[in-house]
Amino acid sequence: MKIVDPSGKEVTSKENKDAKELEKQLNKNIEKLLEPIFNKIKLSGAQVPQEQLVQLSSAAHQMLFNRMIYNLLQKVGVKEISEVLSEDDVEELQTSLSNQLQFVDPSQQQGMDGNGPGEGPKKEN
């Protein structure tokens, strides 16, 4: 979790007890949110790919953040998103997100059967 001090300097949770406590509270809520899902997985005896577990955890984080922001906006009386999110903010985040995108050469992907998108099954000769 990132917190910025009044001078604009980032304060990490290692240096900030308040941030560390907020992080602990957030993690507790995420665990509570995911608990029924993990129990269901355990009871079913099914195997869930690690990638899907990471996606579930990420979704839980996002859902909690969205709810916290919504509750906060309601509490302070914000009626329009434009009051707290400008077009410049969206453009800045768009650039940041685009910079994180990595393209993969399909011929170098592992685990592929050699068929490209839109191709049917390989024909046996």
Side-chain angles (χ1 to χ4, degrees):
M1 177 175 294
K2 294 181 182 178
I3 293 183
V4 179
D5 69 13
S7 68
K9 181 181 174 191
E10 182 182 326
V11 180
T12 65
S13 60
K14 291 178 184 173
E15 301 167 350
N16 186 301
K17 291 180 183 179
D18 291 338
K20 194 178 275 190
E21 180 58 32
L22 288 173
E23 232 171 343
K24 190 189 312 181
Q25 291 175 27
L26 181 62
N27 286 334
K28 185 177 178 181
N29 281 294
I30 289 169
E31 287 173 13
K32 187 175 181 179
L33 180 61
L34 291 172
E35 184 179 9
I37 294 169
F38 289 142
N39 287 341
K40 187 176 183 178
I41 292 168
K42 286 178 187 175
L43 288 173
S44 73
Q47 294 291 321
V48 177
Q50 183 67 29
E51 183 179 308
Q52 191 172 12
L53 294 175
V54 170
Q55 289 172 342
L56 282 170
S57 178
S58 179
H61 275 87
Q62 191 64 48
M63 290 169 71
L64 283 176
F65 278 126
N66 288 347
R67 184 57 60 98
M68 288 189 305
I69 296 299
Y70 172 79
N71 290 342
L72 183 59
L73 293 176
Q74 291 295 309
K75 189 172 188 170
V76 297
V78 171
K79 300 290 182 203
E80 297 289 328
I81 273 287
S82 61
E83 294 178 54
V84 293
L85 185 67
S86 72
E87 286 295 321
D88 287 344
D89 292 327
V90 174
E91 287 179 18
E92 181 182 330
L93 294 172
Q94 185 181 47
T95 300
S96 176
L97 194 58
S98 292
N99 289 339
Q100 294 178 40
L101 182 65
Q102 295 180 355
F103 291 97
V104 177
D105 182 351
S107 66
Q108 295 178 356
Q109 282 184 320
Q110 294 178 350
M112 297 295 289
D113 62 2
N115 290 343
E119 294 179 11
K122 284 187 174 179
K123 292 182 180 177
E124 300 279 334
N125 290 335

